[in-house]
Amino acid sequence: MRSPNFWSWFDGIAGPQLAHRTEGFRKVFDHLDRFDRPVGIVETGCVRQQDNWAGDGQSTILFDRYAELHPRSACSRSTAILRRQSFAAPWSAGMCVSTPATASPT
């Protein structure tokens, strides 16, 4: 299900700053919109430099905003930062975190 609020934000704010990454992220979110169920997103890595849209892509911010604004999201406002090895972290974290972004020790 398409979220008009997310797409308004993406097209007006994020997309123009993503440079060569715009169309790739557009395809990712178009694909996620096709699911007729809540979507869970697990990302390894994080924002390294604030406002580096054209370089790093700011995918953590994009995925968080998608979860926040998508009407069928499994979680909203629930990005958790886990400092662990990327192959172990998703299994040790729950599917949803009820608080906004926090950091946990290794």
Side-chain angles (χ1 to χ4, degrees):
M1 173 180 290
R2 195 165 173 89
S3 167
N5 290 332
F6 171 77
W7 286 104
S8 176
W9 175 82
F10 183 87
D11 291 334
I13 296 172
Q17 298 180 80
L18 288 168
H20 66 283
R21 296 175 182 266
T22 302
E23 290 310 308
F25 277 114
R26 184 179 308 281
K27 288 180 181 183
V28 167
F29 294 117
D30 278 336
H31 179 74
L32 293 174
D33 279 349
R34 292 185 185 129
F35 288 96
D36 189 27
R37 60 174 172 72
V39 176
I41 300 169
V42 176
E43 178 190 20
T44 59
C46 67
V47 174
R48 292 183 298 244
Q49 181 182 359
Q50 184 176 346
D51 296 325
N52 190 15
W53 295 90
D56 291 344
Q58 309 290 285
S59 58
T60 303
I61 294 168
L62 293 167
F63 292 136
D64 185 62
R65 184 59 61 101
Y66 184 84
E68 178 184 350
L69 297 176
H70 194 265
R72 297 200 55 157
S73 172
C75 305
S76 64
R77 308 230 13 108
S78 60
T79 297
I81 301 168
L82 304 171
R83 294 186 323 199
R84 297 188 181 125
Q85 292 294 326
S86 61
F87 62 86
W91 309 116
S92 62
M95 283 302 293
C96 294
V97 178
S98 61
T99 57
T102 59
S104 72
T106 54

